[in-house]
Amino acid sequence: LAKTTQPISMDSYEGQEVNITCSHNNIATNDYITWYQQFPSQGPRFIIQGYKTKVTNEVASLFIPADRKSSTLSLPRVSLSDTAVYYCLVGDRDSNYQLIWGAGTKLIIKP
Amino acid sequence: DTGVSQDPRHKITKRGQNVTFRCDPISEHNRLYWYRQTLGQGPEFLTYFQNEAQLEKSRLLSDRFSAERPKGSFSTLEIQRTEQGDSAMYLCASSLAMRPNEKLFFGSGTQLSVL
C-alpha cells in the first residue's frame, strides 16, 4: 500500500519561500507524485505533478531526488491566500493506482 | 462554468432518511470519482466510473451507499437510511487521462449533516 508522510502543519510569513517535504519510501517505478491544494469548504485543486528531477509551473516547483523516495513542494513568495491544506499523493499499486489521501499539511501564512 | 458541479451544496437530514447527491463532471471527462471527507482528514475514496461502468468500489463502503452514472455523463450518489456517522463532505471529481495518477478536477462538494 503506497503511503506518504508529510508534516501535519507548518507556519510561514508572507513573502517567504515555503518548502513542504513528503516521503514516499515505497513508491512504484511508474508512479507519479502529485500535489493538491485545498481551501476550506472547497474540493482539492491540482497544483503540480512530477516523476523525477524538477518540475516548475506558474504556481510551484516540485523537486524529486534520484531515489524518488521523497519530494519537496516549493511555493515561492507566499501570500495569505496560500493558507490551505497541501496533499502529497502517489498511486496505490494494490488498488488499481487509486490515490490514497493522507491528512495533508496545513500551511498557515502569517502577515 | 465548465468545472465540476455538485448539487446540493448543503444537505441537512434526519437519521434514517434517504439522500441523493448529483455530480456533473467536466463534459469530455470519462472518469468520475466519489470521495468522502471528514474534518481534518483527506478525501476517502468511495467509488469510480469509467463512462457508465462502475469499475471500483471501496471495500469499506456500506451497502447503504449506491452510485450510478447511467449515460456516462452526470452521476448520483444515494445514501439510504442515513446515520450520524455519514455526516461528511461528499466530493466528486472527474478526469480525462487513462494513466495512473491522472489529474483530478474536483467539485466544491456536498456537505451532509445527519441529525
Side-chain angles (χ1 to χ4, degrees), chain A residues 4-11 20-22 35 84-87 102-108, chain B residues 40-41:
Chain A
T4 59
T5 302
Q6 51 185 123
I8 294 173
S9 64
M10 293 180 66
D11 292 351
I20 306 174
T21 297
C22 176
W35 286 78
V85 178
Y86 293 81
Y87 297 96
T105 297
K106 184 172 184 179
L107 175 64
I108 298 174
Chain B
Q41 301 299 315

Side-chain angles (χ1 to χ4, degrees), chain B residues 36 46 57-66 78-81 83 86:
Chain B
R36 175 173 60 192
L46 296 180
K57 187 175 178 180
S58 170
R59 291 184 290 270
L60 303 176
L61 196 59
S62 163
D63 290 342
R64 297 183 295 105
F65 287 70
S66 62
E78 180 183 17
I79 309 173
Q80 296 182 327
R81 304 181 302 282
E83 302 173 355
D86 297 331

